[in-house]
Amino acid sequence: MDAQFYIGLKEAREVLRGIGIELNERQMKRAAEPGANGKRKLPFFRDPIDGRLKINKHTLLKIYLNEEIKAENAMTFDL
């Protein structure tokens, strides 16, 4: 099993930038904070020790990979 590697908001933006996804600070905060329905767009959680938002780096990358796979599977070849 891979070791867990938790990162904060700033590091998450850098990881996404590394795969070509540019988000500003406000966009990242909106994805991390609970919406009107009480759910977050990305699975950030509050660190029980320092109270800051954290996410597993591998989970973040897996979310984008899964979305890419869904888009490829939905593609039609009618040319």
Side-chain angles (χ1 to χ4, degrees), residues 42-67:
L42 295 173
F44 280 87
F45 63 93
R46 290 232 173 253
D47 185 304
I49 296 171
D50 66 14
R52 290 185 280 176
L53 290 172
K54 302 282 175 99
I55 191 171
N56 184 316
K57 178 181 178 181
H58 301 292
T59 300
L60 180 63
L61 292 171
K62 187 169 67 173
I63 288 167
Y64 278 86
L65 177 61
N66 287 341
E67 290 300 314

Side-chain angles (χ1 to χ4, degrees), residues 66-75:
N66 287 341
E67 290 300 314
E68 178 183 1
I69 290 169
K70 283 196 286 187
E72 288 172 355
N73 290 338
M75 187 174 71

Side-chain angles (χ1 to χ4, degrees), residues 20-52:
I21 299 168
E22 295 281 337
L23 298 175
N24 63 39
E25 193 173 327
R26 185 169 186 246
Q27 289 171 312
M28 198 71 211
K29 278 183 142 182
R30 286 182 63 205
E33 290 296 329
N37 62 359
K39 295 186 179 190
R40 301 175 194 277
K41 290 181 182 178
L42 295 173
F44 280 87
F45 63 93
R46 290 232 173 253
D47 185 304
I49 296 171
D50 66 14
R52 290 185 280 176

Side-chain angles (χ1 to χ4, degrees), residues 4-24:
Q4 303 298 311
F5 190 77
Y6 297 104
I7 56 177
L9 286 170
K10 181 179 178 183
E11 295 88 358
R13 278 183 62 209
E14 292 170 9
V15 166
L16 293 175
R17 186 178 298 125
I19 62 170
I21 299 168
E22 295 281 337
L23 298 175
N24 63 39

